[in-house]
Amino acid sequence: MAEIKNNNAAGEQAKCLPRHIAIILDGNGRWAKNRSMPRSAGHFAGAENFRKIATYCQEIGVEYLTVYAFSTENWKRPEDEVGGIMRLLDKYLREAISDMEKKHIRMKVFGDVSRLSPELQSLVKKTDEITSHVEGFQANICLNYGGRAEIVRAAELYAEDFASGKVTEPLTEKMLSDYMYSAGIPDPELIIRPGGEYRLSNFLLWQCAYSEFYYTDTLWPDFSEKELDKAIAAYSSRDRRFGGVKA
Ligand code: IPE
Ligand code: IPE
Ligand code: MG
């Protein structure tokens, strides 16, 4: 279990701190609309908030933070909104690349990056290179990510390895997990959805089997460190039985 590194409200929950928290970054558009601003301003505010919450997760000792930033379904949005999100990703990946070593941050992109621009693809490659030699907190950014697409991809990769003889054993749950983008990372104990919707929207379908869910009406750009403490406190009060019975 991770140790809390500083003294804050979540510190009281030290024993129940999740190793892995996943967040669906939802509500940027409504946040902007409430302020009569363009949706792009909401995405900008959401990206700034990601930086704040990721820093906080690292401070309190969370080991992995996985965020849903752009789904396989989000391409349905107007071209200028998608273009704006991609420009923001470019900016944040560049800033992350210059900070990762200094701040001990590992970064992975989960999703099919082949549909991203060559510039974004090379930034993703660069984050992978840095991640391979940095130790510490890991942020996973789900980009052009869909849970179903991830499961299909994993099945295809296994089938290829089986056909080529690289793998000879019949498929198990553990093996399929190792073909997911999240290979080697514990499943998220806690999944948070701000923005008032009660659905997964194709997020981490394989990994969420025993995750605890926390929903809040707070829109993502307003989701504060205090809100995260509340989500962790709610998580720590849950009785996780994994199909068994209480001792
Ligand atoms: C989440 O905020 C960001 C993405 C899905 C890219 P939304 O843009 O979905 O915000 P709402 O749900 O319209 O408020
Ligand atoms: C989920 O939010 C996807 C991301 C946050 C990246 P959406 O706004 O796309 O989800 P729906 O359309 O409300 O289900
Ligand atoms: Mg939304």
Side-chain angles (χ1 to χ4, degrees), residues 24 68-78 81-82 85-86 115 142-150 193 199-205:
I24 300 172
Y68 204 7
F70 193 85
S71 74
T72 47
E73 288 75 40
N74 287 146
W75 297 104
K76 291 176 195 159
R77 296 188 178 205
E81 179 169 349
V82 172
I85 292 171
M86 292 301 152
R115 196 167 165 188
C142 297
L143 273 189
N144 190 23
Y145 172 89
R148 287 186 172 182
E150 181 184 31
R193 182 164 191 157
R199 53 177 173 259
L200 269 179
S201 302
N202 205 8
F203 187 46
L204 301 182
L205 299 184

Side-chain angles (χ1 to χ4, degrees), residues 25-30 39 74 77 193 197 199:
L25 310 184
D26 196 25
N28 295 347
R30 280 163 287 164
R39 290 180 63 82
N74 287 146
R77 296 188 178 205
R193 182 164 191 157
E197 312 290 358
R199 53 177 173 259

Side-chain angles (χ1 to χ4, degrees), residues 5-99:
K5 289 178 192 143
N6 63 1
N7 189 19
N8 51 35
E12 290 152 28
Q13 308 295 342
K15 285 196 209 86
C16 298
L17 185 71
R19 292 183 65 193
H20 184 179
I21 295 178
I23 310 181
I24 300 172
L25 310 184
D26 196 25
N28 295 347
R30 280 163 287 164
W31 182 91
K33 192 167 176 235
N34 292 345
R35 289 165 176 72
S36 307
M37 287 157 95
R39 290 180 63 82
S40 57
H43 295 312
F44 182 80
E48 286 290 315
N49 201 44
F50 163 70
R51 210 200 320 246
K52 189 171 91 182
I53 294 297
T55 304
Y56 186 62
C57 282
Q58 185 178 24
E59 276 173 20
I60 63 176
V62 171
E63 294 171 63
Y64 303 94
L65 171 69
T66 301
V67 295
Y68 204 7
F70 193 85
S71 74
T72 47
E73 288 75 40
N74 287 146
W75 297 104
K76 291 176 195 159
R77 296 188 178 205
E79 220 176 288
D80 65 330
E81 179 169 349
V82 172
I85 292 171
M86 292 301 152
R87 281 193 294 279
L88 263 181
L89 286 169
D90 188 286
K91 172 180 167 342
Y92 278 87
L93 283 177
R94 281 176 202 280
E95 288 173 12
I97 285 166
S98 70
D99 271 0

Side-chain angles (χ1 to χ4, degrees), residues 1-4 8-18 60 228-237:
M1 186 75 41
E3 264 186 25
I4 295 266
N8 51 35
E12 290 152 28
Q13 308 295 342
K15 285 196 209 86
C16 298
L17 185 71
I60 63 176
L228 189 72
D229 288 343
K230 258 169 76 180
I232 294 172
Y235 161 80
S236 68
S237 71

Side-chain angles (χ1 to χ4, degrees), residues 77-164:
R77 296 188 178 205
E79 220 176 288
D80 65 330
E81 179 169 349
V82 172
I85 292 171
M86 292 301 152
R87 281 193 294 279
L88 263 181
L89 286 169
D90 188 286
K91 172 180 167 342
Y92 278 87
L93 283 177
R94 281 176 202 280
E95 288 173 12
I97 285 166
S98 70
D99 271 0
M100 286 166 70
E101 279 162 329
K102 192 168 62 214
K103 296 188 176 168
H104 306 283
I105 296 173
R106 297 157 58 80
M107 192 174 249
K108 285 262 176 197
V109 169
F110 291 178
D112 177 8
V113 293
S114 69
R115 196 167 165 188
L116 305 180
S117 69
E119 292 77 21
L120 272 176
Q121 287 185 47
S122 73
L123 292 175
V124 169
K125 217 168 139 209
K126 185 83 189 138
T127 61
D128 280 342
E129 278 163 25
I130 301 173
T131 294
S132 67
H133 65 256
V134 166
E135 290 199 12
F137 172 75
Q138 181 165 330
N140 305 308
I141 320 290
C142 297
L143 273 189
N144 190 23
Y145 172 89
R148 287 186 172 182
E150 181 184 31
I151 294 168
V152 169
R153 172 181 172 273
E156 283 171 352
L157 291 172
Y158 166 77
E160 267 171 39
D161 283 354
F162 193 78
S164 70

